[in-house]
Amino acid sequence: MSFTEQGHVGVEVPASCANLGPGFDSLAAAVDLHLVAWTSELTGDRVRSEGEGTEELPTDATNLIWRCFVAYCERFEVPVPDVTLQARSEIPLERGLGSSAAAAVAGAALARAATQGGGSDQDLIDIAGAVEGHSDNAAAAVLGGIVVSTQGAARRFDPARALRPVVCIPKERQSTESARGILPERVSLADAATSGGRAALVLAGLTGGCSFDPGQMIDLLHEPARFSVMPETGKLVGLLREEGYGACLSGAGPTALVIVPARDDAVIDRIGDLSGAAWEVRPTRWDLAGAAVCPPSMSVA
């Protein structure tokens, strides 16, 4: 008997790296760190978690996965299944890897699978973005690959096979809300124009439309302010750029994203030498699937 016939469903949702340097609040990429969530028989909790952040995530109706599960049902006017949601995540919290967006997308996608209530992928992005607040991360988590996201619309592109992402994750955390609060309210017309051009070239390079130019990943709008309160990340990104790598802040940080040749294994050791023991250098792959229905996993203990 299949998992749908048993009445329970699961979804797998990737992490995401937003901005990709100059594409502030508009570009993002999905990478292969995942959150898996599934429905199960009702217990005393609405959500039970394991993996990253287990001890600090709420188990009641305030949990982000449950809130988006309910938000989908309300949007499509279907009854909210009386279930417990189980979740297992390998996405570090508050590191700029879209952990909250993955949770939000998981809730909405799980509700769609459980209720068969319909709706498009854009509906999932809109629901997750409205509840969690980051439509760029949500678009990458839903669609996979590399996305361009604007208000109410998102488009997916296949990443170039010759490139792969590496994330450098520190132990320190940084809330997105705090990181956004330090951003300047105004930027110059020249900086805005430069950032727009660089974002277009980054998108073209990462998707194979032209040769990837690492120097185009340098941002003028959000990174300078954020590096001022994340000096260690700023230092690492600076070192990586001096070595000729395409490097930037992943989302609101403090993780750094590095784009490297897909078949150059020696580059990982070099990044490790530059970052030192305080950073976890994790080679990843582009996640091409986005949010995908999967069999329910083993119950969380």
Side-chain angles (χ1 to χ4, degrees), residues 48-66:
R48 302 178 68 198
S49 303
E50 67 178 26
E52 293 284 346
T54 298
E55 300 301 323
E56 55 193 286
L57 296 172
T59 61
D60 60 12
T62 64
N63 185 285
L64 184 56
I65 302 176
W66 180 260

Side-chain angles (χ1 to χ4, degrees), residues 28-287:
V31 297
D32 69 340
L33 304 173
H34 294 96
L35 181 152
V36 180
W38 62 99
T39 61
S40 68
E41 297 299 321
L42 181 64
T43 67
D45 300 317
R46 275 304 177 193
V47 181
R48 302 178 68 198
S49 303
E50 67 178 26
E52 293 284 346
T54 298
E55 300 301 323
E56 55 193 286
L57 296 172
T59 61
D60 60 12
T62 64
N63 185 285
L64 184 56
I65 302 176
W66 180 260
R67 286 165 56 201
C68 287
F69 188 82
V70 173
Y72 171 90
C73 294
E74 292 176 344
R75 169 85 169 261
F76 288 95
E77 299 181 337
V78 294
V80 179
D82 196 17
V83 295
T84 288
L85 307 182
Q86 312 270 9
R88 180 184 300 116
S89 180
E90 58 181 355
I91 308 172
L93 301 184
E94 295 186 333
R95 301 299 206 291
L97 290 167
S99 59
S100 294
V105 168
L110 197 56
R112 182 171 70 174
T115 65
Q116 298 295 299
S120 66
D121 286 344
Q122 185 63 53
D123 288 319
L124 298 187
I125 295 167
D126 293 343
I127 292 167
V131 176
E132 190 268 337
H134 297 96
S135 295
D136 48 355
N137 288 97
V142 171
L143 301 175
I146 293 174
V147 299
V148 179
S149 175
T150 61
Q151 188 172 4
R155 297 293 182 269
R156 179 194 182 282
F157 300 85
D158 283 330
R161 294 183 179 181
L163 301 171
R164 68 169 168 173
V166 176
V167 291
C168 302
I169 309 171
K171 295 180 181 178
E172 293 75 19
R173 294 163 62 160
Q174 174 72 52
S175 76
T176 303
E177 183 178 356
S178 297
R180 186 169 286 272
I182 63 171
L183 298 183
E185 293 184 2
R186 297 182 179 182
V187 298
S188 72
L189 184 61
D191 284 351
T194 298
S195 292
R198 287 179 177 174
L201 288 174
V202 167
L203 177 65
L206 290 179
T207 57
C210 66
S211 297
F212 175 66
D213 180 357
Q216 300 304 321
M217 292 194 79
I218 299 173
D219 170 74
L220 300 174
L221 303 185
H222 69 102
E223 284 189 345
R226 285 170 168 168
F227 286 153
S228 71
V229 297
M230 300 176 227
E232 293 304 313
T233 303
K235 178 181 177 181
L236 176 58
V237 169
L239 290 172
L240 291 164
R241 288 172 175 170
E242 288 175 5
E243 291 283 319
Y245 300 125
C248 64
L249 198 63
S250 178
T255 291
L257 169 68
V258 195
I259 305 300
V260 302
R263 296 182 180 177
D264 185 355
D265 293 331
V267 73
I268 307 303
D269 292 334
R270 181 57 182 152
I271 293 172
D273 292 340
L274 292 170
S275 60
W279 297 79
E280 178 190 358
V281 176
R282 188 180 297 189
T284 62
R285 295 187 298 271
W286 308 113
D287 181 285

